[in-house]
Amino acid sequence: MPATPGIPAQPGRPAPVPAPVSPTPPGRRTAFAEGVDRVRAAATTEPGRLRIIGAVLALLVVAFGAVTAWQSSERAAAADDVLHSSQPLSSGAAAIYRSLADANTTASSGFLAGGQESAASRDRYEKDIRTAASGLVTAAANAEPGSASEATIAKLNRLLPEYKGLIERARTYNRQGYPVGGAYLRYANEKMQTRMLPAAEDLYTTENQRLDADYADATPYPWAAIALGLLALAALGWAQHRTYRRTNRVLNHGLVAGSAATAVVLLWLVVGHTIARSGLDGSYDHGIRSLSVLHDARIASLKARGNENLSLVARGAETITVGGKPYDAYYYDFDKDMAVLGKGLSRAATLADDRAGSTPVKAAEGNMAVWKQRHASARAEDENGNFQQALDKVIGAKGATGECFDSVDANLARAIDHEQAEFQRSAGDGRDAMTGLPVGAAVLAVLGAAGAAAGIGRRLSEYR
């Protein structure tokens, strides 16, 4: 016998016989492939097809309910944030800005009065400082850690005591008759105008961006849920029609119940979200936009009043050159602020959609017109060297520009309160339109899936 290749033959012994090599066993099929084969085999019989149809219908209806509950709960949460979180924080940021600007204006008015500063003026200043400090505490509690808002709030919390200290020094030296008091007041005003108010404006802008983001999350249509609802209804209708063609029975009670539950959820979703979207859009168009314009107008009036006062405090010490021509810096800024105020009031009057909103705005426009006339008279006295007469026309007890400023501020406050109430009503209606939808959709979807399964089960029982 010839030697086996690779195995040496030994003398006196037969060559070893190699063991037979068994063929490689076929690879084991996956569970998924076996499942597909079972489904394919089941689909060749009517009971198998019915089971597949029932499973698909139940899955579609449950998926529709789950997506509806998810998307509607997200939008309801965003709408609630608009009403109870981002918009109040936006208004709070505007209140911080207004309080700081008003404190600065009140401090300059009190400085002009010298030793005759009234208790009301002092109390107003202290109230503004407390309001700003309280607003910063609220903003800090709601700011995200490490965010730009947190850094801005920390900056304002650091600058506020510094500003207050400068004002107290200015008052102390002013009461003693030292001119250095005016320098301290101007330094405090510079800190407010160049550092504190821009920081407060940044905070206001950031909170408005958060508000816009919440609106963007609350208002889009839930297209995924709507598409699944239409698909589920189409599948249920097809199954009902298929049953009719095979049995000549007009209605399958289970499939009808499943279709009804699905249709109710879909109708609730579309109608509820349409109403919610309408309410939220209304709260933005007739609330947020007006509030933004009114806040800006009120801030412009405060800045104008502050510059009017500071022009008398500085007595021409601060000048600015524009187009090669020198101007008193504070009078120049006053004119710019009044132009902003006029445009703001005009815009606010256009946005006001009812008499209650437009009346205070029109009244503020009238107050502003008188203010400009009185200011022109006071400026003429100041430029002619009649300081006391100019001072009386600015902070006097009667017929002064201060009366006009107070009227403008009071009317703008009324307009803001009205628009705030309009916002809350519309945004509340928008949020309430989605109340109960997530839970209701989930419950009805389960009932609809159960109905579809029962209807298919009824057909299956006929084959037993």
Side-chain angles (χ1 to χ4, degrees), residues 30-109:
T30 63
F32 176 77
E34 293 177 356
V36 170
D37 286 344
R38 284 196 296 269
V39 171
R40 187 181 294 119
T44 60
T45 65
E46 181 62 13
R49 285 191 288 269
L50 287 173
R51 290 188 181 93
I52 294 171
I53 291 171
V56 171
L57 290 177
L59 181 62
L60 275 176
V61 175
V62 169
F64 167 52
V67 174
T68 298
W70 165 54
Q71 290 195 312
S72 59
S73 63
E74 279 196 338
R75 283 155 177 76
D80 191 70
D81 286 342
V82 166
L83 184 61
H84 292 125
S85 179
S86 52
Q87 196 281 327
L89 288 174
S90 175
S91 291
I96 291 172
Y97 193 116
R98 193 204 69 80
S99 297
L100 292 174
D102 191 61
N104 198 48
T105 298
T106 305
S108 62
S109 296

Side-chain angles (χ1 to χ4, degrees), residues 294-360:
L294 289 168
H295 282 310
D296 290 343
R298 198 176 187 190
I299 288 167
S301 71
L302 286 163
K303 293 171 72 173
R305 179 59 177 173
N307 283 316
E308 184 177 49
N309 290 338
L310 286 166
S311 65
L312 296 180
V313 172
R315 298 192 182 186
E318 300 289 338
T319 60
I320 185 174
T321 302
V322 180
K325 185 178 180 181
Y327 292 91
D328 181 287
Y330 297 113
Y331 279 146
Y332 184 80
D333 288 340
F334 172 86
D335 291 337
K336 289 198 303 182
D337 293 331
M338 291 298 280
V340 173
L341 174 60
K343 291 179 181 178
L345 291 176
S346 177
R347 179 64 175 154
T350 302
L351 291 173
D353 60 339
D354 57 14
R355 185 179 180 85
S358 62
T359 298

Side-chain angles (χ1 to χ4, degrees), residues 50-409:
L50 287 173
R51 290 188 181 93
I52 294 171
I53 291 171
V56 171
L57 290 177
L59 181 62
L60 275 176
V61 175
V62 169
F64 167 52
V67 174
T68 298
W70 165 54
Q71 290 195 312
S72 59
S73 63
E74 279 196 338
R75 283 155 177 76
D80 191 70
D81 286 342
V82 166
L83 184 61
H84 292 125
S85 179
S86 52
Q87 196 281 327
L89 288 174
S90 175
S91 291
I96 291 172
Y97 193 116
R98 193 204 69 80
S99 297
L100 292 174
D102 191 61
N104 198 48
T105 298
T106 305
S108 62
S109 296
F111 185 92
L112 285 175
Q116 306 301 318
E117 180 182 8
S118 66
S121 176
R122 179 76 183 189
D123 290 343
R124 179 170 176 170
Y125 167 81
E126 294 293 343
K127 181 181 178 182
D128 284 333
I129 295 296
R130 287 195 301 270
T131 300
S134 176
L136 289 172
V137 170
T138 302
N142 290 276
E144 296 180 1
S147 65
S149 293
E150 186 180 55
T152 302
I153 293 165
K155 178 180 180 180
L156 286 170
N157 276 323
R158 184 179 69 256
L159 291 173
L160 187 59
E162 295 177 8
Y163 170 81
K164 190 174 181 182
L166 290 172
I167 292 297
E168 292 307 321
R169 287 187 181 183
R171 280 176 168 159
T172 299
Y173 287 125
N174 188 44
R175 283 194 296 268
Q176 295 174 355
Y178 295 141
V180 72
Y184 273 105
L185 183 66
R186 292 195 298 275
Y187 181 39
N189 175 73
E190 181 183 3
K191 185 182 289 288
M192 176 66 75
Q193 297 292 344
T194 61
R195 301 182 65 186
M196 298 178 69
L197 290 182
E201 186 175 7
D202 288 343
L203 181 63
Y204 179 54
T205 300
T206 301
E207 295 302 337
N208 276 342
Q209 290 172 348
R210 186 194 298 192
L211 176 60
D212 290 341
D214 285 337
Y215 267 107
D217 291 338
T219 53
Y221 273 104
W223 293 116
I226 293 173
L228 270 175
L230 292 173
L231 181 60
L233 272 182
L236 287 164
W238 172 83
Q240 182 72 37
H241 181 66
R242 183 180 185 276
T243 300
Y244 168 72
R245 285 193 294 109
R246 281 165 171 72
T247 65
N248 286 327
R249 295 170 185 165
V250 177
L251 296 176
N252 178 295
H253 292 166
L255 292 176
V256 169
S259 300
T262 303
V264 168
V265 175
L266 183 59
L267 185 64
W268 189 358
L269 173 65
V270 173
V271 173
H273 189 76
T274 299
I275 295 173
R277 183 187 176 98
S278 176
L280 290 170
D281 286 344
S283 71
Y284 188 87
D285 292 336
H286 306 301
I288 297 300
R289 291 173 64 195
S290 294
L291 283 170
S292 178
V293 171
L294 289 168
H295 282 310
D296 290 343
R298 198 176 187 190
I299 288 167
S301 71
L302 286 163
K303 293 171 72 173
R305 179 59 177 173
N307 283 316
E308 184 177 49
N309 290 338
L310 286 166
S311 65
L312 296 180
V313 172
R315 298 192 182 186
E318 300 289 338
T319 60
I320 185 174
T321 302
V322 180
K325 185 178 180 181
Y327 292 91
D328 181 287
Y330 297 113
Y331 279 146
Y332 184 80
D333 288 340
F334 172 86
D335 291 337
K336 289 198 303 182
D337 293 331
M338 291 298 280
V340 173
L341 174 60
K343 291 179 181 178
L345 291 176
S346 177
R347 179 64 175 154
T350 302
L351 291 173
D353 60 339
D354 57 14
R355 185 179 180 85
S358 62
T359 298
V361 174
K362 291 179 179 178
E365 287 181 311
N367 301 144
M368 185 190 72
V370 177
W371 184 1
K372 291 172 72 173
Q373 293 173 359
R374 293 182 180 180
H375 172 80
S377 177
R379 182 184 294 192
E381 295 287 358
D382 184 34
E383 290 175 347
N384 289 329
N386 300 322
F387 177 78
Q388 187 59 48
Q389 288 84 343
L391 185 64
D392 292 340
K393 290 179 180 293
V394 171
I395 64 169
K398 187 175 181 181
T401 59
E403 292 180 348
C404 301
F405 162 73
D406 289 338
S407 297
V408 168
D409 191 67

